[in-house]
Amino acid sequence: MKNLDLYFDLFDRSRTSEQAEEELHQLFSEDIVFVLNGDRKEGLENWKAFVRSIYENNVDLKHMYEGWRKHEGTDLYITRWAVCGKLASGKVYTQTGIDKAMLNENGEITYLENIPDQQDLFDAY
Amino acid sequence: MKNLDLYFDLFDRSRTSEQAEEELHQLFSEDIVFVLNGDRKEGLENWKAFVRSIYENNVDLKHMYEGWRKHEGTDLYITRWAVCGKLASGKVYTQTGIDKAMLNENGEITYLENIPDQQDLFDAY
C-alpha cells in the first residue's frame, strides 16, 4: 500500500517539482486504467497528460485523505478525500469524494477511480 | 493590504511553525474584533485562543483565496476563500466562503469577519 500512501502528496508536489512528478508517475504501472467521474482512460502517457492538464488549469492544489482501507472481499483499496484548489482564472473551489484503487504484484497502481461527490467536477477541465 | 496578503499563508503555517504563529498574531491589532459565522469576539488573546482551538481540532489545514479587494465606498476589504482540512478524528472536509476585513492606520487587521457559505462550519469546533 506504500504507493497509495505516497500518491496524494506527490500529486500536490508535482505542481512545482519535476522530481515529485517523476516519483508520482513511478507509482503507476504502464497499463494503468484510470476513471475520472465515469470517464475511463488507459496507459501511463494518458495519465501523465491528465496530470499536466490539471496543472495547466490549477495554480494551486491541495489534497487531504482519510486513509486507504482494503475493501473486504475485493482487491480494491478505498479512501475518502477532500481537495481545495485555485484555478488559473483566480477562482477557488473545493471538492470531496472517494478514490478506489488496485495494485499489481509489484505494488504499482494499476487501477485508480475518482468518484467526486459532486458529479460535475471534471467538466471544468 | 500587506498584512491581509500574509494572513492565509501564515494561518496555515502556524499549525507546524511557532515562528509563523508569532508572525500571524503580529498582523492583528490588540483590539481586534473577529466574527466567526455571526459569533463576535474581541481582543488578541481571544484570537490566539481561537487559532489554538483550530489546531487542536485539525491535523492538517489549507486555505486558498482569490485576492483581497477594497469594497467600493467602504473601509472593508473582501476576498472569497476555500479551505480543506483533516480533523483530529481523521475525517476530511472542505468549506468555502468570504472574509471581510478592516485595517487600522498602522496596517494592522482590526476587524475580520468569516462568512462560510455553509453556515454550520464552526459548529464542529
Side-chain angles (χ1 to χ4, degrees), chain B residues 17-59:
Chain B
S17 161
E18 282 184 27
Q19 190 188 329
E21 188 173 1
E22 183 56 37
E23 290 174 26
L24 172 69
H25 297 324
Q26 287 171 6
L27 304 180
F28 295 88
S29 70
E30 284 287 340
D31 61 352
I32 170 73
V33 170
F34 59 104
V35 183
L36 307 171
N37 196 17
D39 184 20
R40 178 190 173 99
K41 298 188 180 182
E42 288 186 40
L44 198 54
E45 289 309 311
N46 281 326
W47 168 260
K48 291 179 183 179
F50 164 68
V51 174
R52 277 193 297 272
S53 76
I54 293 289
Y55 287 124
E56 283 166 11
N57 285 291
N58 286 266
V59 296

Side-chain angles (χ1 to χ4, degrees), chain B residues 90-112:
Chain B
K91 292 275 177 200
V92 296
Y93 69 94
T94 65
Q95 186 55 267
T96 53
I98 65 169
D99 269 12
K100 297 181 180 177
M102 283 192 283
L103 302 172
N104 66 16
E105 62 274 18
N106 301 319
E108 295 168 333
I109 303 170
T110 54
Y111 181 81
L112 186 63

Side-chain angles (χ1 to χ4, degrees), chain B residues 107-124:
Chain B
E108 295 168 333
I109 303 170
T110 54
Y111 181 81
L112 186 63
E113 181 172 2
N114 177 296
I115 307 169
D117 295 333
Q118 185 186 326
Q119 297 295 318
D120 57 358
L121 172 64
F122 289 104
D123 292 354

Side-chain angles (χ1 to χ4, degrees), chain B residues 60-71:
Chain B
D60 203 358
L61 191 65
K62 174 73 177 177
H63 288 83
M64 298 188 187
Y65 71 108
E66 297 190 351
W68 293 96
R69 289 175 300 104
K70 192 83 182 283
H71 189 59

Side-chain angles (χ1 to χ4, degrees), chain A residues 92-109:
Chain A
V92 296
Y93 69 95
T94 64
Q95 186 53 266
T96 52
I98 64 169
D99 269 11
K100 297 181 179 177
M102 282 191 284
L103 302 172
N104 66 16
E105 63 275 17
N106 302 319
E108 296 169 333
I109 302 169

Side-chain angles (χ1 to χ4, degrees), chain A residues 65-66 84 86 90-92, chain B residues 65-66 84 86 90-92:
Chain A
Y65 71 108
E66 296 191 351
C84 59
K86 185 170 183 173
K91 292 275 177 199
V92 296
Chain B
Y65 71 108
E66 297 190 351
C84 59
K86 184 169 183 174
K91 292 275 177 200
V92 296

